[in-house]
């Protein structure tokens, strides 16, 4: 039982639980953005984007492929919102911070931070390779 308690108290389990809760809350925000803002905007320019009435009847069975088309369009819109509002800005900020970190190195003599292109340390004057 103590192993199970240690497992539950690990940071990874807690982080995952918080991520699931935040993700569920954020899902409602994104769904509202798509349903209340993007879909009416698309409707204003291209007509009503509702394909739920499309179906194929084989025998006595109805295949509602229009609902599938609606689900695909909704998924693509949600994916685009997530990409352009979260992923792209985060990647841009991450790349900027990596670029700052990658331009310096430590002096082997005094361990001060110096530019990678430097041939001498500005702090101790030692020659660096």
């Amino acid at each position: 039982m103590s192993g199970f308690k240690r497992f539950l108290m690990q940071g990874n389990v807690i982080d995952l639980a918080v991520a699931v809760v935040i993700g569920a809350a954020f899902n409602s925000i994104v769904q509202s953005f798509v349903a209340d803002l993007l879909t009416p905007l698309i409707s204003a320019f291209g007509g009503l984007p509702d394909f739920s009435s499309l179906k194929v009847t084989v025998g006595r069975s109805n295949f509602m492929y229009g609902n599938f088309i609606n689900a695909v369009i909704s998924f693509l819109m949600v994916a685009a919102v997530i990409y352009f509002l979260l992923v792209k800005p985060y990647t841009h900020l991450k790349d900027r911070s990596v670029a700052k970190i990658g331009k310096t190195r430590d002096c082997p003599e005094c361990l001060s931070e110096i530019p990678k292109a430097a041939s001498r340390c500005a702090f101790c004057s030692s020659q660096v390779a």
Side-chain angles (χ1 to χ4, degrees):
M1 196 63 157
S2 66
F4 183 69
K5 184 177 177 182
R6 261 186 276 124
F7 168 74
L8 288 178
M9 298 310 291
Q10 283 180 339
N12 295 345
V13 174
I14 303 298
D15 291 344
L16 182 60
V18 169
V20 167
V21 171
I22 295 295
F26 186 70
N27 179 45
S28 65
I29 293 171
V30 172
Q31 290 293 340
S32 175
F33 180 77
V34 169
D36 300 333
L37 298 175
L38 285 184
T39 303
L41 184 65
I42 291 171
S43 296
F45 294 109
L48 186 63
D50 184 18
F51 302 104
S52 60
S53 63
L54 299 176
K55 64 182 178 179
V56 171
T57 304
V58 177
R60 287 195 273 176
S61 299
N62 291 327
F63 293 95
M64 306 295 288
Y65 71 92
N67 288 334
F68 178 74
I69 292 172
N70 279 342
V72 169
I73 290 171
S74 178
F75 170 77
L76 291 174
M77 290 170 66
V78 168
V81 168
I82 295 292
Y83 177 75
F84 288 110
L85 294 182
L86 288 177
V87 174
K88 193 168 182 173
Y90 174 75
T91 305
H92 178 71
L93 289 174
K94 189 172 138 186
D95 290 345
R96 283 182 56 190
S97 67
V98 168
K100 281 184 181 179
I101 293 170
K103 292 183 179 181
T104 62
R105 62 183 171 156
D106 290 338
C107 172
E109 296 294 323
C110 68
L111 300 178
S112 298
E113 193 173 289
I114 59 172
K116 277 191 174 182
S119 58
R120 287 196 178 272
C121 177
F123 301 99
C124 69
S125 305
S126 66
Q127 187 144 0
V128 291

